[in-house]
Amino acid sequence: MARVGTVVDLFCGAGGLSEGFRQAGFEVLAGSDFDDVAGKTFAATHPEATFVGGRIQELSVKHLLAVTGLKPGELDVLVGGPPCQGYSVYNHNRGVDDPRAGLFREYLRIVKGLRPKWLVMENVSGLTSIADGGIIKEIQAGMHELGYEVDFKILKAEEYGVPQERRRIFFIANRIGAPIRFPLPTHGKDLKPLTTIWDAISDLPKVENGRGEEGQKYAAAPANAYQSELRGNRKTVSNHSAPKLSAVNIERMKHIPSGGSWRDIPFDLLPEGMKKAKRSDHTKRYGRPRKSDLACTILTKCDVHWGAYIHPEQDRALTVREAARLQSFPDGFVFHGSRTEQYVQVGNAVPPLLGRAVADALIACDHSLSAEKAVA
């Protein structure tokens, strides 16, 4: 595939968003992140790019231009997702006073110096409820002041083939007068069928609680196009070991049927803190999803106590590879660090398929990009 444009990824993490752009035909020149372990994953999976570690506050435009070989105004797309924990719907103390809530201003500082043609910034959908939408207004105003037309929309990952319920807000902007359009859904009612949990993980080998080895062979041939695409040419599976859960958790899981949850656990086996819970509370805790379900949002740990992260058939938690499949990461993405750090990298990422849909939307709007792709 011929290159259709260049990308730099700020707050890149393991590189889910840049992977989506790469799949659409873009060349990823650099990624930057404070998390050096995620940086090892990014560097290993983006050998064509330069990883720049360290705090975003200390990242200079001069250094980015040096490592990319670009001049101001030459970069096609600057993408990035400022750390969102300050805004997350899972953070009940979220707000503008959270020190992580101002990192988008660092993104805008880099924009001012790089002058890319396009901007793509993503974040959690909860951003809309902070300060009566004040953060969104500030982001838009900041982009306008730098000469960009901007729009935003909340996208549903499952509508683009990702086997997971995930909502993300995307800001798309450009300074070249091109129209701004968001990707049209490809999956759902009257479209392609949604990709289910079992569509995503059924070919992976069985592993026992607390067990698993690198280099296991797949359990079966690819059962569908999703598995074929994510497997590529790989013959063995990485990052596929199950965290060791306690004996009491294993006993709890034995009582949870497909589609069940904590409500199916005998009262005397419930954690003490849940014995006082109302039946309407904690709806995802100790959830065992049906094979035909979408996954719940993949967070930075697949803890069965906090969500529906029990394997549909086996009495164990989801592995990092299963979480990565539910995020649409190719199996060639080998996550570095401890298993805890690997879960964080997967959960923090933009699903590559969602990133690819956004990238394709940019190509469709920008004639200079789409012309190159047509030649390819």
Side-chain angles (χ1 to χ4, degrees):
M1 178 185 293
R3 187 185 80 174
V4 302
T6 52
V7 171
V8 168
D9 190 352
L10 299 182
F11 310 101
C12 64
L17 185 52
S18 54
E19 170 63 17
F21 271 75
R22 181 169 61 180
Q23 290 178 13
F26 286 84
E27 180 183 2
V28 183
L29 300 180
S32 174
D33 202 281
F34 177 70
D35 185 343
D36 286 336
V37 178
K40 290 180 180 179
T41 299
F42 179 91
T45 54
H46 295 73
E48 75 284 8
T50 300
F51 175 73
V52 182
R55 299 171 69 242
I56 187 72
Q57 294 90 337
E58 297 167 3
L59 177 64
S60 71
V61 171
K62 182 179 179 180
H63 184 57
L64 271 180
L65 292 172
V67 300
T68 59
L70 297 175
K71 297 177 182 178
E74 291 183 342
L75 178 67
D76 288 305
V77 191
L78 181 68
V79 306
C84 58
Q85 290 88 345
Y87 306 131
S88 174
V89 294
Y90 296 99
N91 175 9
H92 300 293
N93 298 313
R94 65 190 187 276
V96 293
D97 294 329
D98 190 296
R100 295 163 296 189
L103 290 176
F104 69 87
R105 300 185 187 103
E106 295 296 327
Y107 177 98
L108 293 176
R109 175 179 64 84
I110 301 297
V111 169
K112 184 176 181 180
L114 285 185
R115 298 290 296 160
K117 300 178 181 72
W118 286 87
L119 311 177
V120 174
M121 180 192 289
E122 63 81 33
N123 219 296
V124 292
S125 60
L127 202 66
T128 58
S129 63
I130 302 299
D132 295 323
I135 297 293
I136 286 180
K137 293 175 184 176
E138 185 174 348
I139 291 172
Q140 289 181 299
M143 291 180 177
H144 278 303
E145 288 175 8
L146 295 174
Y148 291 82
E149 291 300 314
V150 58
D151 198 1
F152 71 90
K153 185 176 183 180
I154 293 175
L155 301 181
K156 300 178 180 180
E158 65 269 25
E159 293 185 340
Y160 304 95
V162 180
Q164 175 193 168
E165 293 180 339
R166 194 179 188 93
R167 307 289 181 267
R168 305 293 290 192
I169 188 169
F170 278 81
F171 296 84
I172 298 179
N174 73 74
R175 58 170 179 80
I176 58 176
I180 296 174
R181 299 191 185 99
F182 292 86
L184 296 175
T186 55
H187 293 66
K189 185 178 180 181
D190 299 324
L191 300 169
K192 295 179 182 178
L194 296 174
T195 307
T196 68
I197 290 174
W198 208 238
D199 289 337
I201 69 172
S202 66
D203 63 322
L204 295 176
K206 289 184 178 181
V207 294
E208 296 179 7
N209 176 56
R211 302 289 294 274
E213 300 175 359
E214 289 297 304
Q216 301 168 81
K217 293 183 179 180
Y218 291 95
N224 51 58
Y226 186 86
Q227 293 177 8
S228 293
E229 180 177 354
L230 268 58
R231 280 168 66 156
N233 296 322
R234 288 187 64 89
K235 304 298 182 185
T236 59
V237 183
S238 62
N239 304 120
H240 189 51
S241 60
K244 186 173 178 58
L245 302 181
S246 64
V248 68
N249 268 328
I250 297 299
E251 188 61 31
R252 289 166 182 156
M253 285 189 283
K254 291 178 180 178
H255 296 276
I256 303 171
S258 175
S261 68
W262 70 280
R263 296 177 185 82
D264 299 291
I265 300 172
F267 182 82
D268 61 323
L269 281 178
L270 284 172
E272 287 301 316
M274 295 182 70
K275 288 181 178 178
K276 299 178 182 179
K278 297 178 181 179
R279 302 290 290 180
S280 59
D281 289 347
H282 314 302
T283 55
K284 296 289 186 181
R285 289 191 174 191
Y286 286 94
R288 188 192 298 274
R290 300 176 185 87
K291 294 179 180 180
S292 58
D293 287 345
L294 292 169
C296 64
T297 301
I298 299 299
L299 303 178
T300 53
K301 54 183 178 180
C302 290
D303 188 335
V304 300
H305 183 75
W306 294 107
Y309 303 119
I310 299 175
H311 188 277
E313 285 189 340
Q314 302 165 43
D315 288 334
R316 60 170 177 80
L318 296 175
T319 68
V320 170
R321 178 52 53 196
E322 287 163 340
R325 281 282 188 95
L326 297 172
Q327 278 275 63
S328 76
F329 273 103
D331 289 1
F333 247 80
V334 178
F335 296 90
H336 289 244
S338 68
R339 186 164 54 211
T340 297
E341 291 167 328
Q342 293 167 20
Y343 278 120
V344 169
Q345 292 170 48
V346 174
N348 276 336
V350 175
L353 280 185
L354 180 55
R356 187 168 80 188
V358 172
D360 284 337
L362 263 61
I363 293 170
C365 292
D366 188 338
H367 294 302
S368 65
L369 297 176
S370 56
E372 282 192 58
K373 193 164 189 179
V375 171

